[in-house]
Amino acid sequence: MTELAQIIDQGRGVIPADLVLKNGRVLDLITGELLTGDVAICGGTIVGTCGRYSGQQEIDVSGMILVPGFIDTHLHIESSLVTPFEFDRCVLPRGVTTAICDPHEIANVIGLDGIRYFQRASEYTLMDIRVQLSSCVPSTDMETAGARIDADDLKQVMGHSSAIGLAEFMNFPGVLFKDPGVMEKLALFRGQHIDGHCPLLSGNDLNAYIAAGIRTEHEATSAEEALEKLRKGMRVLIREGSVSKDLHALAPIITERNSPYICLCTDDRNPLDIAEYGHLDYMIRTAIALGADPLAVYRAASLSAAEAFGLKDRGLIAPGKRADIVALTSLEHCDAQLVLCNGVEVTDAAFAARDTIPPVGRHSVKAPIVTADHFRTAGNREDTDVIGIIEGKIITEHLHETIAIVDGDKCPDPARDLMKIAVIERHGKNGNIATGFVRGFGLQHGAIAGTVCHDHHNIAVVGADYDDMALAANRLGQIEGGFVVARDGKILAELALPVAGLMSLDPFETVRDHLVELRHAARSLGVVLEEPFLQLAFLALPVIPALKITDRGLVDVNKFQIIP
């Protein structure tokens, strides 16, 4: 019997279904009703609801509510600090059955080989990983990345089964001012899905950006900003990551009326936050607790996401849809008790049965050896540009402080929370080192450093002591990248990320435990930020206002230029 014939006969109940979920209630995301009846599944396809079925395998889900699998509409798996296979094992049991990723972190280090790694990995994970093609490698010309990808390069990786379209177009000034390379990429994906990235853009400039063919956007940080984008037909992806936390600000817009154009995403979320709080399940619980309508929230988590990205085979528990199903004790708790992904029950045995592929991007840290003197800031002007951290945001303030020049150097000043920050080129291209000042870490001693440094992923180091800054930065070269905390000439804690300086080869549980140690060590230096390492990483991203730093110097993002 053909697969189609089996689907028809099992849907009619003529023959037993492969799998039946019995005695649960289904949340219908169309009408908002809780429907009674069995859910029959043939292979990876739902073939029956609202009826009685017998199955070759039957699972009793009495007292549970069944909802469609959750779809994370924008994330960088590299920022989970583990490989796609460990991300699969970490997040899928929480109900995230589809992840739409942009591998531009690894692509900025090793180019097309990084994209191909994610494409190949997607063929083996239980979760359906969709790989958008990275649009901005590097994000601008104001940084040194390990690779450059243009339109002709993208043609080489188009057409994979995991593809949807073009990933977040961060260089929105390039769109507005018709940069030739930008125009080539937009033309290549004309009529296909293109993800957006345009923080604080509004008015006619926003109109032009959307008119260029860009359909989604995840950088809205206020309800006012999100509503303008919704009114102009742009789908808003509400984000709650480890650093960028926009859910509280945007929860009021999650209404039944708006929900068809609202989705959920995490962007950058590490295993420690996932363990302590959750992933999309945390977003769902929190949004409902903040007063958002449960039907609207669950629509955003699945059906609206599927529609936004053209995934017509999922997003509902209904005949003909992909069997991505999460069983919960209640909508408010969003506590996955059972997860099916493409009809497969998510268990340890199912993960163990997967094939995997070898890692890529080893030995990618080729930074110069630095000394304390490299962090001195020469100059004859006491008026100083300072990056002002806004906790929970990746946007920053552009502050101005008077910092005295002593012996030809502007020194860190812990009493005023003015720390020295540096970015060191680590791809072996030019050895650039740029320094500046940052406020918001609360550091009193030592230094922290990392090779997760968006999006170019050079070494970023912040500290109160130059010798400790040098120790931390040099240690990153020895461990193939990662995170390091140093004080008084000693390494207090570290996490090696040898896959392109971005991902660990260890299980996510081990990474989580190392992150606990790193957080404790950072706090022993006086750090007050909840997530200092990813907060540090975003200080080097020159497409997010207002003041950032790359290996080429301080960047005034509003003017889109390096400060002389």
Side-chain angles (χ1 to χ4, degrees):
M1 185 182 295
T2 67
E3 179 185 10
L4 179 58
Q6 283 189 323
I7 285 173
I8 293 170
D9 284 350
Q10 290 188 24
R12 293 183 64 209
V14 174
I15 60 174
D18 293 344
L19 172 64
V20 177
L21 303 181
K22 301 188 73 70
N23 305 317
R25 293 181 296 164
V26 171
L27 177 62
D28 180 5
L29 295 181
I30 303 296
T31 67
E33 298 171 282
L34 286 173
L35 308 175
T36 58
D38 299 334
V39 177
I41 297 164
C42 176
T45 302
I46 298 168
V47 296
T49 60
C50 302
R52 289 297 170 191
Y53 287 91
S54 62
Q56 299 176 47
Q57 180 188 359
E58 296 183 352
I59 300 176
D60 186 359
V61 289
S62 295
M64 296 187 192
I65 298 175
L66 306 180
V67 298
F70 311 139
I71 301 173
D72 191 332
T73 52
H74 174 73
L75 77 160
H76 309 284
I77 290 175
E78 305 99 307
S79 294
S80 70
L81 310 178
V82 293
T83 67
F85 300 100
E86 282 302 302
F87 178 78
D88 186 26
R89 197 171 66 82
C90 179
V91 169
L92 180 54
R94 294 180 173 272
V96 182
T97 53
T98 303
I100 301 172
C101 79
D102 172 8
H104 76 202
E105 315 297 359
I106 194 170
N108 267 281
V109 180
I110 61 172
L112 291 182
D113 285 345
I115 294 177
R116 291 189 181 103
Y117 171 71
F118 272 85
Q119 289 177 330
R120 288 188 60 211
S122 73
E123 299 169 12
Y124 297 98
T125 53
L126 293 186
M127 171 191 291
D128 187 19
I129 293 178
R130 294 304 182 109
V131 183
Q132 301 283 69
L133 298 186
S134 304
S135 67
C136 296
V137 179
S139 66
T140 72
D141 290 324
M142 296 181 288
E143 66 219 83
T144 303
R148 178 173 291 273
I149 295 177
D150 59 23
D152 286 338
D153 297 318
L154 290 174
K155 291 176 184 177
Q156 299 179 43
V157 288
M158 294 178 74
H160 189 266
S161 59
S162 65
I164 294 177
L166 190 63
E168 56 178 325
F169 222 106
M170 295 183 292
N171 186 2
F172 65 81
V175 175
L176 299 179
F177 296 105
K178 305 183 296 297
D179 175 87
V182 166
M183 298 296 282
E184 287 180 10
K185 292 174 184 175
L186 292 175
L188 182 62
F189 286 86
R190 188 75 172 155
Q192 301 180 54
H193 188 97
I194 304 176
D195 281 331
H197 180 289
C198 55
L200 306 179
L201 196 65
S202 64
N204 287 353
D205 283 350
L206 177 60
N207 291 340
Y209 185 74
I210 297 171
I214 295 165
R215 300 179 182 177
T216 59
E217 215 278 331
H218 61 275
E219 290 290 342
T221 56
S222 70
E224 180 182 6
E225 180 181 359
L227 285 170
E228 181 182 2
K229 289 170 178 175
L230 286 175
R231 290 178 186 127
K232 294 182 175 181
M234 183 174 250
R235 295 180 191 264
V236 170
L237 318 182
I238 295 177
R239 171 180 57 189
E240 187 77 2
S242 289
V243 173
S244 305
K245 301 176 185 293
D246 304 317
L247 181 57
H248 280 70
L250 301 185
I253 74 166
I254 309 176
T255 64
E256 187 174 341
R257 176 172 292 180
N258 293 341
S259 60
Y261 262 61
I262 291 175
C263 310
L264 305 181
C265 74
T266 57
D267 205 353
D268 300 280
R269 198 163 182 84
N270 68 47
L272 181 55
D273 275 353
I274 295 169
E276 291 184 340
Y277 303 108
H279 199 260
L280 289 190
D281 56 321
Y282 167 76
M283 291 191 70
I284 293 167
R285 283 191 298 273
T286 303
I288 294 173
L290 290 171
D293 177 70
L295 174 60
V297 175
Y298 279 96
R299 274 183 185 164
S302 51
L303 177 60
S304 300
E307 293 290 328
F309 287 85
L311 300 173
K312 298 294 187 178
D313 64 341
R314 67 199 71 187
L316 286 171
I317 298 178
K321 298 296 185 183
R322 182 178 149 107
D324 293 343
I325 299 173
V326 186
L328 312 170
T329 59
S330 75
L331 296 179
E332 292 75 17
H333 288 106
C334 193
D335 51 347
Q337 303 297 306
L338 170 78
V339 178
L340 299 180
C341 187
N342 199 27
V344 176
E345 184 176 357
V346 175
T347 63
D348 290 341
F351 287 121
R354 301 170 308 175
D355 288 329
T356 61
I357 60 174
V360 295
R362 297 297 303 271
H363 310 291
S364 67
V365 181
K366 303 167 185 175
I369 301 298
V370 295
T371 66
D373 285 343
H374 284 103
F375 302 108
R376 292 171 60 87
T377 299
N380 57 7
R381 189 169 59 91
E382 293 188 342
D383 181 59
T384 305
D385 298 283
V386 175
I387 301 169
I389 291 173
I390 304 172
E391 185 164 13
K393 306 290 182 185
I394 58 177
I395 58 175
T396 61
E397 295 178 297
H398 187 164
L399 307 177
H400 293 272
E401 295 289 339
T402 299
I403 301 178
I405 300 170
V406 180
D407 296 329
D409 179 41
K410 297 180 183 180
C411 299
D413 186 349
R416 297 165 65 195
D417 190 18
L418 293 172
M419 290 298 102
K420 190 64 67 75
I421 184 171
V423 175
I424 305 165
E425 190 275 321
R426 65 98 162 177
H427 303 291
K429 298 290 183 72
N430 52 41
N432 284 347
I433 301 174
T435 62
F437 282 87
V438 61
R439 168 174 282 162
F441 279 95
L443 256 164
Q444 299 296 309
H445 314 277
I448 67 172
T451 52
V452 177
C453 184
H454 298 293
D455 284 328
H456 42 82
H457 299 296
N458 290 304
I459 290 172
V461 55
V462 63
D465 181 272
Y466 293 166
D467 287 317
D468 287 334
M469 291 175 73
L471 175 64
N474 291 332
R475 180 60 180 162
L476 289 171
Q478 297 166 357
I479 63 174
E480 296 188 64
F483 298 126
V484 172
V485 178
R487 179 179 178 179
D488 299 332
K490 297 180 181 179
I491 302 296
L492 301 186
E494 66 184 28
L495 168 63
L497 301 174
V499 182
L502 300 172
M503 292 176 282
S504 172
L505 292 171
D506 291 328
F508 75 82
E509 295 94 343
T510 303
V511 174
R512 176 197 63 208
D513 293 344
H514 280 305
L515 289 172
V516 171
E517 295 167 2
L518 280 163
R519 184 168 64 181
H520 178 75
R523 287 176 178 169
S524 77
L525 306 184
V527 170
V528 295
L529 298 172
E530 182 180 356
E531 181 39 79
F533 299 97
L534 289 183
Q535 195 95 52
L536 172 62
F538 280 108
L539 298 183
L541 180 57
V543 293
I544 300 289
L547 183 64
K548 296 297 172 73
I549 183 171
T550 75
D551 64 296
R552 293 184 57 197
L554 286 170
V555 177
D556 184 328
V557 181
N558 293 325
K559 295 180 179 178
F560 219 62
Q561 66 183 27
I562 296 171
I563 296 175

